[in-house]
Amino acid sequence: MTEERSVHKNVFHWHEFVEFLERYHVGGYHPVQIGDRYSEDRYHVVHKLGFGSYSTAWLARDSVSNRYVALKIDIAESSKASTESHILRHLGNFTKDQQKTKRFLTSLLDAFYIDGPNGRHLCLVTEPARCSLADSKEDPPWKFPLQISRAIAAQAVLGLQTIHSSGIVHGGKVLLPTPSRAHIEVKDPRIYISDFGEAWMNNQTQPKEDLQTPLLYLPPEATFAKEALGFPADVWTLACSLFEIMGERSLFEAFLPDRDDMIAEMVSCLGPLPQPWWDAWKLRGDFFVDNGVWKTDMTRLRASQSRPLLQRFKNMGRNEESEFTAAEVKSLEQMLRAMLQYEPGERATVGEVAKSEWMTKWGLPALQEPEKLISIHAFSIKSDPSRAPAPSAPIAVLLSSIPGKGKAQVHVDLTREI
C-alpha cells in the first residue's frame, strides 16, 4: 500500500494597499514582524503604519520615553546614500524666529541601523503622524470645514517658509497629523510637513537631477528644466496642496496619467507653456494640433478642451454664496497664480506667499479661531496589537483649538479602545 503524503504549499493571497513581496530581496525592504524589538530592545513594534517605494513604516513603543513612535525603515539600497537624518538634524537647529513654526515640521527623535538578511537599513524614529491630505478626505463630505481648511493651509505655508529659511528644499507633499490605524485626538487643526527622504540642501554643489514627487504635484521644470530644480519646485507643489486643502478635489486631475497628461492638464488650467518648453514637448501632438488648438480626435483619456483655474475654483466643492466670498476667491486665485507661474524664476517665493492678501485676511486669522471640530475617517489600533483591526475600521479624529489657550498641543492616545 502506497503511503500518500500531503503537500503543503505556501499560498500568498494578494492584498490591496500593501507592498510587493518581490521587494523583499537583498538591497530591498527589511522583513519586520509585529513583536520585533530594535536598538537594544528599546523599540517594540506593535503595528504597521504603511509603506513607500523606499521604506516601510511601523508603530512602535519606546520603552525609554514610554510613548509610541514611528519607525521608518529604509530599503538597504538607499540607506547608505540617504541624507534624511542629516536634513532632519539640520532642521532641528531652529533660530529664534523659527520657534513658532517649527511645530509644523516632523521631529527626528532617534536614528540607528538595522542589519538584516537583505542588508543594512537606516531606521528613523519620529512622531507617529502619517496620513496624507487625500487619505483624510476619502469619506463624505470629502472636504474640511472652511475655517479648518484655512488654518491648515496657513500652517502649510508657514511650515514650508521655515524649511526654506533653513536652506532646504523639501521635494514632497504635506501630511496631516493623523496616524493611520491609530486612535488620536488632536487639539487643533495642526499639520506636519513630513517625509524628507527627497529633500536636499539648496546650496549643494551637485544639482538635483529629478524629483520623486507624485505627478499631480510635479512642477513643470522637472520635465523641461531640471537644472532649475530648487525652492520654486516646492512652491508649485504647495500651490497644488493648498487647492486640495481648500476644496474636495485636486487641482490637476487625470486618469492613470503620465507626465504628458499632466503637462496637458497644466495647459488646460494655466494656458500656453513658454515657447521653448512647447517646442521641446515631443508628444504635444497627442493633445493639440499645430496651432495649439485641442485635438477633437485624441486617443488620450481626457476632455479636448481647457478648464481654466477660475472654473476649477467653481468646481472645487465650495458654495461661493454660503462659504467663499467673491473677495476671498479673487484673493486666493491671485495667490495661487503667483505660485503657479511656469518659469521658476517668476514664481512667488514662499515668503511672499506668507505675506499675501489671502494669508493676511483669511489664512492667519483662522489660526486664532477657537473650538473648531471635524470628523475624519482614519484607522484604529486596539491596546492588544494582536487584535489590530483590518484597515477599514473608522475612528473619529477631532481637530479643535483649546478655548482660552494660545497654542494648542497634540494629544495622541494609541491605547484607547474604540
Side-chain angles (χ1 to χ4, degrees):
M1 182 176 181
T2 304
E3 180 182 354
E4 293 185 4
R5 295 182 179 180
S6 60
V7 178
H8 297 279
K9 293 183 178 181
N10 292 323
V11 179
F12 172 69
H13 297 282
W14 182 82
H15 292 276
E16 194 175 9
F17 307 124
V18 299
E19 66 274 24
F20 290 111
L21 284 182
E22 292 82 357
R23 295 296 304 278
Y24 284 92
H25 56 71
V26 174
Y29 292 128
H30 174 66
V32 179
Q33 296 187 38
I34 303 301
D36 284 354
R37 296 177 183 272
Y38 295 105
S39 190
E40 299 180 344
D41 291 341
R42 175 174 178 174
Y43 302 108
H44 178 205
V45 176
V46 298
H47 204 73
K48 186 177 180 181
L49 292 176
F51 71 96
S53 298
Y54 301 97
S55 63
T56 55
W58 303 84
L59 185 68
R61 186 72 177 178
D62 182 352
S63 61
V64 174
S65 63
N66 196 32
R67 65 170 172 173
Y68 285 92
V69 296
L71 306 182
K72 179 186 177 185
I73 305 176
D74 288 353
I75 63 172
E77 287 178 349
S78 65
S79 290
K80 283 186 178 181
S82 175
T83 61
E84 187 169 6
S85 61
H86 170 72
I87 292 288
L88 289 174
R89 286 192 178 96
H90 180 79
L91 279 173
N93 300 321
F94 293 104
T95 65
K96 184 177 180 180
D97 294 337
Q98 295 172 330
Q99 291 298 317
K100 293 182 178 180
T101 54
K102 70 177 184 179
R103 62 196 172 115
F104 306 140
L105 311 180
T106 191
S107 299
L108 179 66
L109 305 177
D110 193 8
F112 57 91
Y113 282 91
I114 299 172
D115 292 307
N118 294 331
R120 189 171 174 83
H121 306 260
L122 174 65
C123 180
L124 302 181
V125 184
T126 62
E127 298 173 81
R130 298 291 181 272
C131 181
S132 72
L133 290 168
D135 290 342
S136 65
K137 300 194 302 179
E138 283 187 346
D139 298 293
W142 299 294
K143 60 186 176 184
F144 304 118
L146 184 56
Q147 196 69 343
I148 293 291
S149 293
R150 292 171 179 143
I152 293 174
Q155 291 171 86
V157 172
L158 297 177
L160 186 61
Q161 185 181 26
T162 301
I163 295 172
H164 283 191
S165 66
S166 298
I168 293 171
V169 183
H170 181 261
K173 290 175 58 182
V174 177
L175 299 183
L176 280 170
T178 19
S180 56
R181 307 177 185 93
H183 179 86
I184 73 170
E185 291 179 358
V186 186
K187 298 303 184 182
D188 78 322
R190 175 183 167 193
I191 69 161
Y192 290 136
I193 297 181
S194 185
D195 193 355
F196 287 80
E198 293 297 321
W200 73 94
M201 301 297 297
N202 193 58
N203 62 357
Q204 67 184 32
T205 55
Q206 184 69 27
K208 188 75 170 179
E209 294 182 355
D210 203 359
L211 296 176
Q212 301 301 317
T213 308
L215 286 178
L216 293 180
Y217 306 86
L218 189 69
E221 61 266 31
T223 300
F224 297 110
K226 293 182 180 181
E227 71 281 356
L229 291 175
F231 291 140
D234 278 350
V235 174
W236 179 283
T237 300
L238 176 62
C240 298
S241 297
L242 295 182
F243 186 92
E244 188 175 343
I245 290 168
M246 295 302 296
E248 64 182 25
R249 301 173 64 172
S250 300
L251 174 59
F252 301 119
E253 299 175 310
F255 180 72
L256 298 176
D258 57 22
R259 288 202 180 196
D260 294 289
D261 290 311
M262 295 317 302
I263 296 300
E265 261 289 272
M266 293 176 191
V267 175
S268 170
C269 177
L270 304 170
L273 293 170
Q275 193 62 45
W277 292 3
W278 177 264
D279 294 338
W281 186 14
K282 295 180 180 179
L283 294 184
R284 67 176 185 272
D286 287 3
F287 306 90
F288 300 95
V289 294
D290 290 339
N291 60 359
V293 176
W294 288 95
K295 292 180 66 174
T296 57
D297 59 345
M298 72 172 71
T299 57
R300 297 269 185 164
L301 294 176
R302 66 155 295 115
S304 56
Q305 60 185 16
S306 293
R307 193 162 60 93
L309 180 59
L310 188 57
Q311 181 179 340
R312 294 174 191 237
F313 270 105
K314 295 179 180 179
N315 298 331
M316 72 188 309
R318 296 286 183 192
N319 188 317
E320 290 187 39
E321 295 181 359
S322 62
E323 295 185 276
F324 270 146
T325 63
E328 182 176 3
V329 170
K330 180 180 179 180
S331 182
L332 186 58
E333 182 193 11
Q334 289 175 342
M335 184 182 77
L336 291 185
R337 281 195 183 279
M339 300 171 72
L340 293 168
Q341 292 297 307
Y342 283 128
E343 295 284 1
E346 298 176 3
R347 216 167 286 161
T349 66
V350 69
E352 292 169 340
V353 175
K355 297 177 181 178
S356 67
E357 181 186 58
W358 184 85
M359 280 288 289
T360 302
K361 291 185 177 180
W362 288 279
L364 295 176
L367 289 177
Q368 311 303 321
E369 285 282 327
E371 201 86 78
K372 294 297 177 182
L373 177 65
I374 180 175
S375 292
I376 306 175
H377 286 291
F379 303 120
S380 62
I381 177 172
K382 307 277 185 162
S383 56
D384 179 0
S386 66
R387 295 164 53 213
S392 60
I395 59 125
V397 178
L398 307 179
L399 300 181
S400 64
S401 297
I402 302 176
K405 303 290 184 180
K407 294 181 177 64
Q409 299 296 316
V410 174
H411 168 66
V412 180
D413 178 4
L414 293 166
T415 60
R416 177 176 165 185
E417 294 281 343
I418 302 300

